[in-house]
Amino acid sequence: MLRLDTRFLPDFPQAFKEHGPLLLQAREALLAKRKDPQSMLGWMDLPEDTETLRRIRRYREANPWVEDFVLLGIGGSALGPKALESAFNESGVRFHYVDHVEPEPVLRLLRGLDPRKTLVNAVSKSGATAETLAALLVFLNWLRENLGEDWRRHLVLTTDPRRGALRALAEKEGLEAFSIPENVGGRFSVLSPVGLLPLAFAGMDLEALLMGARKANELALAPLEENLPLKTAFLQHLHRHLPITVFMVYSERLKYLPAWFVQLHDESLGKRDGEGNRVGTTAVPALGPQDQHAQVQLFREGPLDKLIVLVVPEGAMEDLLLPQVEGLEGEAGYLFGKGLFQLLKAEAEATYQALAEAGQRVYTLYLSEVSPYAVGWLLQHLMWQTAFLGELWRVNAFDQPGVELGKRLTFALLGRPGYGS
Ligand SMILES: O=P(O)(O)OC[C@H]1O[C@](O)(CO)[C@@H](O)[C@@H]1O
């Protein structure tokens, strides 16, 4: 269950009603592109793809020996699985993410792994990402050196159905490979094999995850009054004059979710529009209660230049009672006999009120609980929010031209042929 609370934005309901035609027009414009394979809207259909889920489950069952799962990938090829595995891994399989190029942690990882018990999943839609290719060179060589001809069973690829270096490698070596649909972009791919394959090894309830995402799809197509994604897209649109949008999650299990949202929001919406104007707001990640002892100072007394979104669970899957401890009555007596979740909820509510009191524009998305269903709903909801904003801000939410120069300069610095010196 996902519930929007805008009690500190009293002007919102009326403004939402007044902008109804604009919002419905944006939705129509987006949906009109749905049939065009170039439109990159395939993420809308992922929650219905039960055939891929069946294939992934069969692959998981055929490989019960895995004790360490190493994901090689970056950006949308790592952030989604990392966020969900961190929240829902109950399997005992250890996960490692090589989504960087710092040698020491990679060396430490290699020295600690047993290749016979390790499955490496290289994830790259393009098959051209330098960080992922570098990691693949290391781990493919490591598997070959340690396992001989058996190495092929320990490497699975997730990539484009037809193109790119990873697809070519899979075909040449007869490797197991899963496809990222051509019309699904990286930061929208968490419900494709990019997320589903690792999460199957993490023992996550993937049916519930996809069921929640289907709920978000249903609401995105609903009439205005029930249309949660249009409501939060409009909240972002109404506050587009504020340069910062804070995404603050009150869940330790979801601590990697803000990084996933930062890529989704900033890489989709930080663009030039049709007239060449620079468009976009900056997503700032935050974690409760950690940032009550950090960024909240800035949010309370710094510039009133932020739209703040709190993501707060309303219930716990299980709670932990705080015992009485003799000698701590003075300072901690008010906690005796309360549940830890009661403290989490009180702190989230207090922060919500304190931020509103400071004059920041703030709203809350309440999750019924941190469950696969509720988080699947939230992820797909945020993808719809982002896609609607692309229409409202007249930008292409599904490309990322701005990241290309850095890649070309890297190639030149490394002397890649055809990229200058
Ligand atoms: O999955 P790939 O093609 O390796 O891309 C990884 C990431 O790099 C980007 O393409 C940006 O360079 C992101 O959009 C993407 O999530």
Side-chain angles (χ1 to χ4, degrees):
M1 165 75 177
L2 194 57
R3 180 171 69 83
L4 172 64
D5 178 285
T6 57
R7 75 182 100 131
F8 297 117
L9 302 176
D11 53 338
F12 167 69
Q14 183 53 30
F16 180 68
K17 216 177 261 114
E18 286 164 6
H19 288 77
L22 170 77
L23 296 169
L24 290 174
Q25 186 190 3
R27 181 175 66 178
E28 290 328 302
L30 180 69
L31 294 177
K33 302 171 188 169
R34 196 167 183 175
K35 290 283 166 275
D36 168 10
Q38 305 299 320
S39 66
M40 302 305 285
L41 297 181
W43 53 273
M44 295 179 181
D45 306 316
L46 293 176
E48 307 298 338
D49 184 359
T50 49
E51 180 42 40
T52 298
L53 184 53
R54 259 192 297 281
R55 199 183 144 221
I56 284 172
R57 194 176 300 296
R58 281 199 298 273
Y59 177 74
R60 170 59 181 120
E61 283 149 12
N63 294 280
W65 48 269
V66 176
E67 292 181 18
D68 285 277
F69 189 105
V70 179
L71 188 149
L72 315 179
I74 197 164
S77 290
L79 291 168
K82 193 175 190 179
L84 291 175
E85 181 270 320
S86 163
F88 298 113
N89 184 357
E90 309 287 347
S91 66
V93 174
R94 291 176 295 271
F95 278 73
H96 316 275
Y97 301 91
V98 185
D99 56 351
H100 61 83
V101 288
E102 188 175 37
E104 292 86 350
V106 177
L107 287 163
R108 189 185 322 128
L109 175 60
L110 285 166
R111 289 169 185 143
L113 286 172
D114 175 350
R116 293 163 302 172
K117 303 284 187 195
T118 299
L119 179 63
V120 176
N121 179 202
V123 186
S124 177
K125 180 177 177 68
S126 64
T129 303
E131 298 91 338
T132 310
L133 289 173
L136 182 57
L137 295 178
V138 170
F139 278 85
L140 202 161
N141 186 55
W142 176 75
L143 289 173
R144 277 181 172 154
E145 281 184 350
N146 285 280
L147 299 171
E149 280 310 298
D150 198 28
W151 68 271
R152 291 180 177 78
R153 224 159 52 88
H154 293 257
L155 178 62
V156 56
L157 305 180
T158 306
T159 189
D160 185 276
R162 293 182 297 117
R163 290 178 297 224
L166 266 61
R167 180 56 62 184
L169 181 70
E171 285 165 2
K172 175 170 178 286
E173 297 288 354
L175 301 174
E176 187 74 49
F178 290 86
S179 294
I180 306 169
E182 288 176 278
N183 63 349
V184 174
R187 55 188 176 273
F188 288 83
S189 67
V190 62
L191 299 180
S192 79
V194 168
L196 299 185
L197 177 65
L199 295 168
F201 281 84
M204 183 176 176
D205 180 346
L206 299 178
E207 276 83 2
L209 179 74
L210 295 183
M211 211 184 316
R214 284 196 283 273
K215 182 66 184 173
N217 283 354
E218 178 194 315
L219 289 177
L221 304 176
L224 215 50
E225 253 327 289
E226 301 116 66
N227 202 306
L228 205 52
L230 276 177
K231 285 183 179 176
T232 59
F234 181 61
L235 280 163
Q236 295 285 337
H237 183 66
L238 192 61
H239 296 92
R240 62 192 182 285
H241 59 286
L242 300 174
I244 291 169
T245 185
V246 177
F247 188 81
M248 184 165 183
V249 173
Y250 266 87
S251 165
E252 182 62 18
R253 283 172 291 161
L254 292 176
K255 66 184 172 188
Y256 294 115
L257 185 63
W260 174 85
F261 177 74
V262 164
Q263 185 200 15
L264 178 70
H265 183 87
D266 290 10
E267 198 173 52
S268 299
L269 301 168
K271 300 277 170 69
R272 298 292 185 114
D273 68 9
E275 287 79 54
N277 305 309
R278 286 175 174 273
V279 164
T281 59
T282 301
V284 167
L287 188 61
Q290 177 178 293
D291 273 304
Q292 291 166 208
H293 307 273
Q295 297 194 85
V296 165
Q297 169 58 42
L298 167 73
F299 299 163
R300 282 270 302 155
E301 297 187 6
L304 294 177
D305 60 353
K306 299 170 184 71
L307 173 65
I308 301 175
V309 187
L310 301 182
V311 176
V312 180
E314 293 196 279
M317 304 299 270
E318 62 175 315
D319 205 347
L320 171 58
L321 217 53
L322 302 176
Q324 302 197 18
V325 172
E326 207 177 309
L328 285 173
E329 297 81 356
E331 203 55 59
Y334 70 99
L335 295 170
F336 290 175
K338 290 195 173 66
L340 197 54
F341 186 75
Q342 223 175 320
L343 178 57
L344 184 152
K345 274 210 73 174
E347 292 196 334
E349 178 61 27
T351 301
Y352 190 17
Q353 293 177 19
L355 295 176
E357 193 278 342
Q360 297 289 6
R361 302 289 282 177
V362 57
Y363 66 92
T364 295
L365 278 171
Y366 286 103
L367 295 175
S368 41
E369 70 288 308
V370 178
S371 65
Y373 176 80
V375 176
W377 182 347
L378 175 65
L379 293 173
Q380 191 79 351
H381 168 89
L382 292 169
M383 288 185 249
W384 276 105
Q385 167 182 301
T386 304
F388 286 148
L389 280 167
E391 293 299 327
L392 291 168
W393 294 356
R394 301 185 186 289
V395 297
N396 176 351
F398 304 103
D399 66 0
Q400 48 285 328
V403 305
E404 294 312 313
L405 178 60
K407 296 179 182 178
R408 290 200 301 275
L409 294 174
T410 301
F411 294 154
L413 288 167
L414 294 174
R416 180 174 181 179
Y419 285 88
S421 58

